[in-house]
Amino acid sequence: MSVQTFPYSSFLRGPSQVLPSLADADVILERRDEENLVLSRAERFEAVATGLRIAARSLAILARRHRDLAEEVLAEELPWLTWLPAEERLTCVRELLADLVAGADTGLLVPFARNLASWRSTAEAWSDPQLARELQGPFDGDGPVIERPTRDAA
Amino acid sequence: MTGRGAELSRPKPWTVRAADRQAYQGWQRLLAAVPDNLDRAWVALTSDPRHVDQRQHSLKGQLGMVKVGGATLEQWQYEVTGAGRIWYAIDDDSRTLWITRAGAGHPKQTDTRRK
């Protein structure tokens, strides 16, 4: 599936420039100070949602019968797990699997996606050993106040 | 209390502070490199420190809680640019956002320090 990107402003000026792209791609509308939007055709949107729901439910069924195997399967999909400390890898996989199972039941996959992003960022921080050491603190809390950067400061 | 046309400041504003000198230096480097992005980051953090989106999220596990000046606080991350990151701790009692580290993400961060 390909994705094309347009500025949100150009979509507002003339949707007819953007809409033809939906024939064979989803469209991301980039907004400067807000979250981007995605435009898709209903059939494609439904297909993704249905496919995801069935895949998540299948994994949920697997997780109920063979938790170890489900964790192993999920872990294989998350190569950045290797950066986490060993004792946190299992916590990560268990949390994400629980979110995925809950999401499969309710259709709410945003908690899963957010937890995934949090763990991924955490793993990225651990990938730099010095950074990870420093982020563990403790910090003195004695640095200066930071004012809002102004655009003409540069 | 305020006269006509007087500037109204934000009620209960967050204060942004560096958690230590190294965090402040990292912030200054980002400021020199990407001032506009850092401005957006500052506004985003002080508007809603616990907002979650693609750029902003809490850290997990050991890195998720950190001590600043004796208080144990949640630690979050904000992606300033593709590689630029701010890590910050949220102190609700003092309405302070402690910048714990700021700089380019891995592996640039280690590179710049070794130079």
Side-chain angles (χ1 to χ4, degrees):
Chain A
M1 246 308 290
S2 60
V3 175
Q4 286 193 37
T5 302
F6 293 91
Y8 183 55
S9 55
S10 74
F11 174 70
L12 290 181
R13 273 199 302 276
S16 59
Q17 288 185 345
V18 173
L19 294 180
S21 298
L22 287 171
D24 50 15
D26 284 346
V27 166
I28 292 177
L29 299 175
E30 283 186 327
R31 297 195 290 180
R32 193 172 155 78
D33 289 319
E34 284 184 279
E35 199 176 356
N36 293 343
L37 301 176
V38 175
L39 272 184
S40 181
R41 292 172 78 150
E43 186 191 5
R44 216 150 49 214
F45 175 80
E46 294 292 344
V48 171
T50 305
L52 196 61
R53 200 162 51 239
I54 291 176
R57 278 189 185 160
S58 306
L59 189 59
I61 292 168
L62 178 66
R64 278 195 284 271
R65 295 188 190 166
H66 303 284
R67 174 157 289 275
D68 292 354
L69 183 58
E71 287 171 0
E72 202 181 310
V73 168
L74 185 58
E76 271 190 41
E77 281 302 304
L78 309 172
W80 43 260
L81 275 176
T82 184
W83 290 329
L84 288 174
E87 66 276 15
E88 291 193 8
R89 273 176 224 150
L90 190 59
T91 313
C92 169
V93 169
R94 288 202 169 146
E95 275 190 17
L96 292 178
L97 191 60
D99 283 339
L100 203 55
V101 169
D105 275 356
T106 59
L108 299 175
L109 283 160
V110 171
F112 168 75
R114 289 182 168 179
N115 211 6
L116 179 69
S118 273
W119 274 112
R120 195 195 157 109
S121 291
T122 304
E124 282 172 7
W126 280 108
S127 75
D128 180 342
Q130 188 180 342
L131 174 66
R133 219 167 22 247
E134 290 173 7
L135 285 177
Q136 287 173 65
F139 296 91
D140 293 333
D142 60 355
V145 169
I146 292 173
E147 300 294 342
R148 178 177 172 172
T150 47
R151 307 224 164 198
D152 51 7
Chain B
M1 193 176 103
T2 42
R4 216 179 289 169
E7 190 176 332
L8 298 175
S9 59
R10 184 179 169 161
K12 293 184 75 186
W14 286 94
T15 302
V16 182
R17 280 189 69 178
D20 63 14
R21 180 132 294 275
Q22 198 181 328
Y24 186 68
Q25 287 164 353
W27 178 275
Q28 293 300 112
R29 278 197 296 273
L30 273 183
L31 183 63
V34 286
D36 286 359
N37 302 65
L38 202 59
D39 187 63
R40 277 200 284 280
W42 193 97
V43 171
L45 260 52
T46 54
S47 303
D48 187 355
R50 289 190 178 84
H51 177 77
V52 177
D53 61 20
Q54 286 166 318
R55 289 178 177 277
Q56 193 173 351
H57 28 253
S58 56
L59 294 187
K60 308 285 292 186
Q62 280 181 63
L63 300 184
M65 299 299 280
V66 69
K67 277 198 166 186
V68 182
T72 304
L73 308 173
E74 284 171 43
Q75 187 160 242
W76 285 58
Q77 175 185 297
Y78 185 94
E79 297 184 21
V80 182
T81 63
R85 302 277 185 277
I86 296 170
W87 292 271
Y88 62 100
I90 305 173
D91 189 340
D92 293 295
D93 291 341
S94 67
R95 299 280 291 178
T96 300
L97 302 174
W98 294 99
I99 305 296
T100 49
R101 277 295 172 267
H106 182 76
K108 258 189 166 169
Q109 180 144 4
T110 38
D111 290 345
T112 43
R113 264 194 241 122
R114 277 171 196 152
K115 268 174 202 163

